[in-house]
Amino acid sequence: MTHTLTSAHRALAAAGLLLTTGLLHAAALPEALKATASQQQTMELQATGVQIYECKAVKDAQPARFEWAFKAPEAELFDAQGRSMGKHYAGPSWEFQDGSKVVGEVRARDAGPDAKAIPWLLLSAKSNSGSGVFAKTVAIQRIDTVGGQAPAEGCGAETLGREARISYRAAYRFFETK
């Protein structure tokens, strides 16, 4: 007996796979990074871009020491089909293509499973603007990070003020109050 899948069946199978993957992933999410029971996920976007670091002097260090200090992210946000949906930049801010924006502040962090990647985060909305998609966002998760850590080589007086742009990828989940 031959089975042919209609587009509806393929869509249901894909949805089941996504749901299963999501459930497996949610189980691996550290407790400190989980949204509250009063929040529901409204969207997940993939970010591709850079984490920007600057070589700075460590304050009050005697003798003088230098380190790569985080300056800002700079990334484009994409939906599951790879379409550009907005951007992520200093603040940290996420701006959707409809002009709405959310600025976050870190509430919790976890090293995540990849020691060579920037940490996973839970952020709360500090401010929202516009009337679009991000207008009611109350929390953001940064998960599934790849890359983005400060340069491994040190910085010094000769590189003071120099920027390093380190490639990274991450998934950002956005939550609203139920």
Side-chain angles (χ1 to χ4, degrees), residues 92-170:
S93 301
W94 294 264
E95 187 173 338
F96 201 71
Q97 63 188 7
D98 63 11
S100 62
K101 183 169 99 172
V102 59
V103 177
E105 61 185 345
V106 176
R107 284 191 357 216
R109 72 178 61 234
D110 185 90
D114 184 353
K116 296 179 182 177
I118 55 176
W120 291 13
L121 302 174
L122 175 64
L123 303 101
S124 57
K126 189 165 49 170
S127 66
N128 303 72
S129 60
S131 58
V133 171
F134 289 155
K136 295 181 180 178
T137 298
V138 295
I140 304 108
Q141 288 173 340
R142 178 176 77 189
I143 58 171
D144 299 336
T145 56
V146 176
Q149 282 194 340
E153 69 276 355
C155 68
E158 67 284 352
T159 55
L160 188 62
R162 185 175 297 162
E163 282 188 358
R165 300 169 65 83
I166 310 299
S167 295
Y168 92 106
R169 291 190 325 264

Side-chain angles (χ1 to χ4, degrees), residues 53-121:
Y53 296 89
E54 182 178 357
C55 181
K56 290 189 169 190
V58 176
K59 290 183 182 182
D60 301 325
Q62 294 299 328
R65 289 192 341 251
F66 303 89
E67 67 183 3
W68 289 106
F70 177 70
K71 185 174 179 183
E74 188 177 285
E76 192 167 355
L77 302 171
F78 298 94
D79 68 9
Q81 289 73 42
R83 295 177 297 222
S84 179
M85 294 285 117
K87 57 188 176 179
H88 174 43
Y89 52 92
S93 301
W94 294 264
E95 187 173 338
F96 201 71
Q97 63 188 7
D98 63 11
S100 62
K101 183 169 99 172
V102 59
V103 177
E105 61 185 345
V106 176
R107 284 191 357 216
R109 72 178 61 234
D110 185 90
D114 184 353
K116 296 179 182 177
I118 55 176
W120 291 13
L121 302 174

Side-chain angles (χ1 to χ4, degrees), residues 25-41:
H25 183 77
L29 190 66
E31 194 63 37
L33 301 185
K34 291 183 179 177
T36 67
S38 66
Q39 298 170 346
Q40 66 183 7
Q41 183 179 329

